[in-house]
Each structure stands twice: as structure tokens, then as C-alpha cells.
Amino acid sequence: MNPTKTDLSALNDKQREAVISEDKRMLVLAGAGSGKTKTLLQKLIYLIEEKGVSPSNILAITFTKNAANEMIDRLIISADTTRQYERMLVDKRLTKLEKEKERFNQQKKYKWIDGLTIRTFHSFCYSILRHDGVNEFDNKFKIIGDEKRDEEDDLSKNVARETVFEVFHKLLISQCEDTDYLLKLKRYILDYIIYKVHKQEEKFFPKGGKYFSSLDGVKVRSKSEQFIADWFYRHSIKYEYEPLLNVKDFAFHPDFYIPAANLYIEHVSDKSYSTKDKEEQFKKGNLLLVKTYENMTKDSALFNHTLDKIVKNRLPSNYHKNISLTYREEFNGYHENVKDFVTQIIRITDMIKVENIDLKTVSENARKDQHERVRNFYELAIPIIEKYINYCTDKSYLDFNDLISRSISLFRNYSDIANKYKNKYQYILVDEFQDVNNLQVDLIKLLLTDQTQLFCVGDDWQSIYGFRGSNVSYIIEFENHFPKSKVVKLNLNYRSTQHIVGASNEVIKHNKFKVDKELHSSKKSEHKIVVYAGNNEEDNIQFCVDKVKELLKEGLTNEDILFLYRRTHMFNPGTYSGKPSYLKEFYKERIKVQAKTIHASKGLEAKVVFILGLTEGNGGFPDIWLEDRIFQIIKKANHDLLLEEERRLFYVAITRAKEKLFLITEKGNESGFLKEIPDVFTVKTSMPLKSVVEKVIYCQKCFSQLEKLWIVCPYCGQKTNGD
């Protein structure tokens, strides 16, 4: 075999300790930028070259196909003395498909690489079920995932033609053929997704209290009035809400008026004022008034009957008494809101599978919940989830969670199959261990024997996938889950400057549930972190646009600059939102920048990073959406733990930056996370930008904006050139 490894002397002491360790259970706790993947790959090479382990006895598990490909790429690079493959990977003239073909060819060239099993959890379980699943079920299944795959691998060849979202959406539309379900869905979307009734803080509601939106978009003052308005809508009865009426003595607003019946309805609640004076006016004007009462609405069937008698009997005989409701008409203009609802159902379904809770229990817990919104959600969601499960069964579809749970079931029910894989894989290496969930850990444990060497790398500080079911306790309490284990900490950051590393250390210290470690930077720099607080979003956008222009003039490329944000709307609120947009302004300037959610940036890095939307409150960062009671039906949420995951997400964002970091907030509404960064690491500025005609002066040392007549930068002491 040609030499393929780098000299172990290239590793630092802790990396070397992890690589040569003979411990059967090993966790490498690797801080951001500390070379965890390098350590894992060196361990793999060490096992083959130094210990004589057959590649076929090694299983390396990743979470994404990209991570698996990166692992293979780096192994090929280590074996390729010509460096042609490395140059090929960065060649922009080649397509993704061409690079994949070359990767495949190179794997076959190096038999030891080809002999390794480097898989994602999902592709590994797919292989198990495809070969051995016939023992338990029909193994001619298709995989249904988040997107249609185009890679030329075994997994992709057996992917369903439809995505999980497409199936859920299709089933929802089908369910909406039931008119009652259709109207309940529209009610839910109006109340809780669009207008967020009962969800937002009181300060967001009008002085008169909470508004309730009817199915035709009229805002009424109570749930019972909403019921009446919706009844009119269902029966195609035109009405006016709170019309101005001036009969004799004074003007007032009765609750409802039905012109076709010349009928007024006054709805009386427990909080209503006396209607005696109004009734006198109706008598004087010889107008028809009927009163309805709050307590009537407690029995919806009875109230429907009451409205039938009150209204329908007074309508002309030729008046349309029914309306045919369709999904297309009812949700025209609400497509994004329906998408949000479907996404919620998908997340709930994933959580149910990961936590291994049966639907009956979920349904019972939901019905007992004190919050109407939660009860309404599950009343709508459960039928769709049941349909989805049945649909997948009929089509022989398995989603990603199914692949793992079916593999676990296979191992538990068939010891001979379990032993086959236990005997084959004597060494199991797991990347990004902080992201594992209950199912994945169960699978790993079923693959282990007393002789199996388990080598895991990860960083509890970068555990950010709680919404997918990952459980950070597995890495924090590794020794409890895997007894007699050894933990090695990698504390030297090779990616970021000392200011960025120092700031990230200070931020994460505020988390209580973590493994303590202190990262140090191998890179020195005079550039401090810039915290810019504009007066509004327009200020922030202009600051970023001008700053990017400067960076490009200095010789940086678009690939050197990365914009990160908690939610997509922070960068691109949408064409029709009417809000200022980073995307739009960069497009105007013909500047192309990299922009990703922080979750999507995991594993990436850039010389310069901008983090947007660092504000408090609704739509800011932190954004603790998992605290939503909908999800707590499945798994009880702890506010502190959810806040800690948001802080870990902020940590991930910070540590993507190699040289310069810009944190963008709004004056007076700064995110609490910014306050956790000591001033020694930052330069704060909120100065409005100068006119584009006038030259803007910046400190060459700390990047702060300066006034024209300043001789010395007040932030870092650097002398200016005075021009």
C-alpha cells in the first residue's frame, strides 16, 4: 500500500492521544475549528496502517451525504501524491456530477478506501434493510425524504418520486373535502398562524382586547361573534358587522345586520352593557331585532339550529341557503400559511417517531390540554398523520426515522442478523455525535460488543438540532451512556482569531448544561468584532452593503463573505412583505453574497461573517419556538434548555468567522446574547452612515467608523492618516 497518512507529528498532543488510544469507548470533545474531522480521519488511517485493521471491519457514520463525501475526499487527497484530485475539487469549471463520478473512480482506485463503510445513518440502515429486512417485512421499499435526490448512489435510486411535504400536503387537501375539516383548518390558520390569537403578548392586541377573524376576514370582538360570522359565511348569507344605526334619539352599532332579511342581531355576552336603550330605539324605528346569548354557543349544534330559525326563515325563498366550499377557493392567498401548518405537522410526526410515542397517547394528551390552540391543532393534525402512516404503508415508503427504527426492530427480533453486523464492524467511528437522537443511539448500542471500539467526535457546544429530536445529553453524559469510556478534549482552535474565540467562550459560559472546556486560538489578529446597531433595518442594510463593497475593493471575493441569520425573513422578508430587504439591496448593487440560516451553515467557514437579526422579542434571536405548547404534548420543554440551544446556535454562528465578524442589531433592542460578549472583544458603533458622496473613514486597525477630524481612533487608539 502506498503511504497515505500524514505524520502523527502533525497532530497536537490531544489529537495524537485520541488517535493512538486503545480505549473501547472514546469521545473526542472537539471545540469549533479544533480539527475534529482531521482527528477522526487520522484515527481511521492509523487503524489500517499501524494496527493492520481490515477496512471492511470499519464503519464510519456521518449525518449528511456531504459530510460522508468530504470524509472520502480527504482520504483520497491523503492517498493522492499527485494532488490532481484536490485541484479537481476546487475546479469551478467542473459540474457536481463530474466531480461525483471522479470521486467514485478514485474510490475504486484505492481499494482500502473502497473497502471502508462510510455512510450516513440513513444510508447505513437502508443497506441493512435492503439486504436483511426481508426477514421482517417486504424489503422492496422506497425512501421518502425532504427532497428528491439526484445523486447517483444506491440510496437515491430507490427514492420515492414525492417528498414528505408533498405527501402531507396532498393528504391535507384530500381531508379538506370534508367541509367541517376545511372550515376548522381555515379557522386555525386565521386565528393562530396569521393573526396569532391567544399566542402573542397582550401588548400586540388592540385596546379593545383580542380580535377574532371570521372566515371571510372580518375582525370581530369575541369567539361567539366569530361563530355567528362564520355561520353566515358557510351559508352564503351576506351581512354587515357593527353597522352605524341612527333611528331616533342616538346613534349606535348593533352587532350584525342581514340586509336580505332586514334583520338585526344583538349578541349579548356576560360582559355586555345593558341593551335596554338599544331595544327602545328598535321599537321606535319599527325595526326587527333578535338577541342571541353567549351561553347559547356552548352547544354548537343547538346554536346552529337557533340561527337557522332566526335567519333562514326570514330570507326570501330564492336566497342561496348553502355554499359549496373548496380548498382552492378557501386558501387562495394563504399558501405560505398552509405550508407553515404542514411543516408543523411534519415536525410533530418526526418527534413522535423519535420519542416512540403512539398516536393514541398523543391524541389523549392533546385533548386534555388547557389551551384551545393546542387542542385545535391536534384535532386537525392527528387525522393527517394517520393518513400519512397508512399512505406510506400502502406505498411501501419508509422515511428517515422509519429506516432507523425498522433496523433497530430487526436487530432486536433477529439476533443472528444483529450478530452478523456486530462481528463485521469491530471499529465504529461516529462524526458530529452531539446531533444524535434516541433512535440513533439505540442503533449504535445494538452494534456494540465488549470488543468493539467506539470512537465518537463532536462538540456539545454545537448541538443545535433539538427540533429534529437530537438529545445533547448523550454527549454531555457520554460516560453514563457508554460506561468505562474515555473523554479527550481538543481545545486549540485553528480557524478563528483570538477575539472571535474569546467572545464565543464567554457566550457559551452562560450555559449550565455543558461540558466545561476553554478554547484557545492559534491565530492572532488586531481586528475586533464589530457590533453595529442601526436605528432601523434600512440603516443596517446600508451599513452591510457599504461594508461588503469595501471588502470586495480590498481584494476579498464573494466566497470570502458569509451572511448568517436565524430565520430566512431576516435576509429576505419576501417580495410582497413591504419590508426592507438585504437580498433586494445586494441585487440592486449587482453584488452576489453567500447567505444561509445558521443551521445550514454548520461545517462552513468564511473569512468575513455577518450575523443579522440580533434583536430581542418576536422574530428576533433568541427565537425559542420549541417552547410552543404544541411540541410539549410530545416532549416537555424546559425553557432554560431551549434558551441554551439558542445560545449554542449563536456560538455556531460566531465560530464560522475566520478573520472578521460583524454583529448586526438595532439600537435599543439588542439581543441579550450581545450583552454576554465582554467589551474587550468588540467595537460598538451606531453612527449613521455618511452620504454616499462623501468619503467614509474607517479605522484600519479595528474597522470602526471615524469622524473626519479625528486624529486617533477612540476605540483602539490607532492613529489615523487624517484624510
Side-chain angles (χ1 to χ4, degrees), residues 252-264:
F252 61 97
H253 294 271
D255 292 324
F256 296 95
Y257 175 57
I258 302 93
N262 197 22
L263 168 69
Y264 293 89

Side-chain angles (χ1 to χ4, degrees), residues 403-421:
L403 289 171
I404 301 176
S405 62
R406 289 293 185 97
S407 298
I408 290 170
S409 176
L410 190 67
F411 284 171
R412 285 174 174 165
N413 294 335
Y414 296 89
S415 58
D416 56 328
I417 296 175
N419 290 332
K420 169 185 166 182
Y421 289 91

Side-chain angles (χ1 to χ4, degrees), residues 177-180 182-183 186 215-216 229-238 312 319-326 329-330:
E177 292 174 8
D178 178 339
T179 299
D180 285 339
L182 173 68
L183 291 172
K186 188 170 183 181
L215 293 171
D216 55 348
D230 288 350
W231 187 90
F232 290 147
Y233 181 77
R234 290 189 65 170
H235 294 85
S236 194
I237 296 172
K238 294 180 179 179
K312 283 189 177 181
Y319 200 91
H320 295 293
K321 295 185 178 181
N322 290 296
I323 183 172
S324 178
L325 302 176
T326 66
E329 289 180 0
E330 292 306 305

